[in-house]
Amino acid sequence: MESLNATYGAAFVGLVAGAILYGVTLLQTFLYFRNYPKDSLIIKLMVIVLWILDTAHLILCTAAIYWYLVVNFTNTAALDKTTWSMSLQTDCNGLIGLIVECFFARRVWIMSRNWFLTGIIVLLACVHFGLGIVFTVEGLLLVEVHKFGRLIWVTSAGLGSAAAADVIIAVSLCYYLLKSRTGFSRTDSLISTLTIYSLTTGLITSVLAMICVISFAIMPTNFIWLAFFWIMGKCYVNSALAALNSRSSLREKVGPQDGTFFQLSHYRGSGLPSGPESPIRTEFKQGRSRDIAPLAVNVHTQTVSKTDYCFTDEPPSASKSSSSIIV
């Protein structure tokens, strides 16, 4: 058995960091239900399930540390034993990772319509969750912590799958976002913000997963890997909540400014496009008389606000305006 600093000392530090991030989860959950009461029932249920799982994970981790460091304060033999709470917390994190990765996989599908790419992400997420269950069962059967070296392949494959899924999600979102650049400064600024956000959130969870894999492979009998694993679950939850809560600020960033005549379309086309996606129609009428008649330009505009998710049952809001300019 390793020293207390590398085992339960590291686990305690991970518990404190996880509790701090859980406070961020509570804040983001409150802000979500306050700011988006009209979201679809599926999204609301997802947020509730993530909050319940995150709460259960923190309770299980706290119960495990309490059992080791308080209940068995003078029983050093108990430090090498596994408990039900220490084993079940792995499944909570695995289920959180599965839900969040599927949430972002749907976003990748909406942007790319690529079933193959989306299927790979979902498959890797399922492998991560499935091997987490295997780790829980095997951990309960092994009973003693110093035997965890036999589970290196489970941890490496499971967390490696999670890291691969996160990298694919981040790279895919960045790629398709950059392809959507329009040439308009405000829209491109929004795309750049989304790209940085997608890259950052994907890298954080993937780096944490790789740290867990490497530390467990090198030091399977201490809990340094466990501290990063507990933090990783909280990062998954907060990344999904941040994606939901950032919608209002992003809409304001591309919304029409005060005093502007109309908002440019978010799509690029050659000439003046027609159709429901670019409802900007310009009619030029020139009077035919002996004298040079003025040129009348009638501009009819319609601004339609859309998001990549249908969060409400209301149709997209639209505003129309028209103006006549005599040249």
Side-chain angles (χ1 to χ4, degrees):
M1 189 68 185
E2 299 276 349
S3 65
L4 285 178
N5 287 332
T7 53
Y8 297 100
F12 180 76
V13 172
L15 176 64
V16 173
I20 294 173
L21 291 175
Y22 178 73
V24 180
T25 299
L26 290 178
L27 176 61
Q28 290 215 77
T29 303
F30 169 76
L31 292 176
Y32 169 77
F33 283 105
R34 188 190 68 175
N35 297 332
Y36 302 97
K38 295 183 179 180
D39 271 3
S40 66
L41 180 61
I42 295 178
I43 300 299
K44 289 181 179 178
L45 287 176
M46 184 195 75
V47 172
I48 292 174
V49 170
L50 287 176
W51 173 74
I52 292 175
L53 289 173
D54 203 25
T55 303
H57 179 261
L58 183 62
I59 292 173
L60 291 172
C61 295
T62 305
I65 295 299
Y66 185 86
W67 187 86
Y68 284 114
L69 301 184
V70 178
V71 175
N72 292 280
F73 177 70
T74 58
N75 185 8
T76 56
L79 299 178
D80 195 37
K81 306 294 182 182
T82 58
T83 64
W84 63 271
S85 56
M86 182 67 83
S87 299
L88 288 180
Q89 58 84 23
T90 305
D91 295 331
C92 288
N93 256 7
L95 188 55
I96 287 173
L98 175 65
I99 294 173
V100 173
E101 286 171 341
C102 288
F103 169 75
F104 284 109
R106 182 176 182 270
R107 176 167 289 187
V108 171
W109 177 80
I110 290 174
M111 298 186 65
S112 65
R113 300 295 174 177
N114 189 329
W115 284 106
F116 178 74
L117 181 61
T118 307
I120 291 177
I121 297 172
V122 174
L123 178 61
L124 291 172
C126 292
V127 170
H128 172 212
F129 175 65
L131 291 179
I133 296 177
V134 173
F135 185 89
T136 298
V137 174
E138 292 293 333
L140 289 173
L141 294 176
L142 290 175
V143 178
E144 297 173 338
V145 175
H146 72 269
K147 297 180 181 179
F148 274 20
R150 305 176 187 178
L151 302 178
I152 291 178
W153 72 271
V154 178
T155 305
S156 299
L159 294 178
S161 299
D166 295 337
V167 170
I168 294 174
I169 290 171
V171 172
S172 300
L173 289 176
C174 291
Y175 173 75
Y176 288 107
L177 283 170
L178 292 176
K179 282 186 63 177
S180 303
R181 296 178 73 90
T182 63
F184 302 132
S185 59
R186 298 182 66 194
T187 306
D188 288 350
S189 176
L190 171 65
I191 291 175
S192 299
T193 302
L194 290 172
T195 302
I196 295 173
Y197 168 78
S198 301
L199 189 62
T200 303
T201 54
L203 285 179
I204 289 175
T205 51
S206 60
V207 167
L208 287 173
M210 291 308 301
I211 291 176
C212 291
V213 171
I214 296 173
S215 59
F216 186 83
I218 298 175
M219 301 169 289
T221 58
N222 65 34
F223 290 154
I224 294 177
W225 67 273
L226 189 64
F228 289 103
F229 181 71
W230 288 354
I231 296 172
M232 184 179 71
K234 301 295 183 290
C235 290
Y236 271 125
V237 176
N238 281 289
S239 64
L241 291 175
L244 294 173
N245 287 330
S246 62
R247 288 173 292 167
S248 294
S249 60
L250 293 176
R251 286 171 185 164
E252 292 175 359
K253 190 170 184 177
V254 294
Q257 296 177 346
D258 295 337
T260 56
F261 179 62
F262 63 88
Q263 181 180 2
L264 294 174
S265 171
H266 292 186
Y267 300 91
R268 173 186 291 174
S270 58
L272 289 174
S274 61
E277 292 187 350
S278 299
I280 300 178
R281 181 168 56 90
T282 306
E283 296 179 355
F284 296 92
K285 295 180 180 180
Q286 183 173 7
R288 294 180 179 179
S289 61
R290 295 180 181 178
D291 299 327
I292 299 178
L295 177 64
V297 181
N298 295 328
V299 180
H300 304 274
T301 67
Q302 182 179 18
T303 302
V304 180
S305 300
K306 296 181 179 180
T307 61
D308 55 353
Y309 292 96
C310 184
F311 292 104
T312 63
D313 296 330
E314 301 177 356
S317 60
S319 59
K320 294 182 178 180
S321 62
S322 61
S323 176
S324 296
I325 304 174
I326 305 299
V327 180

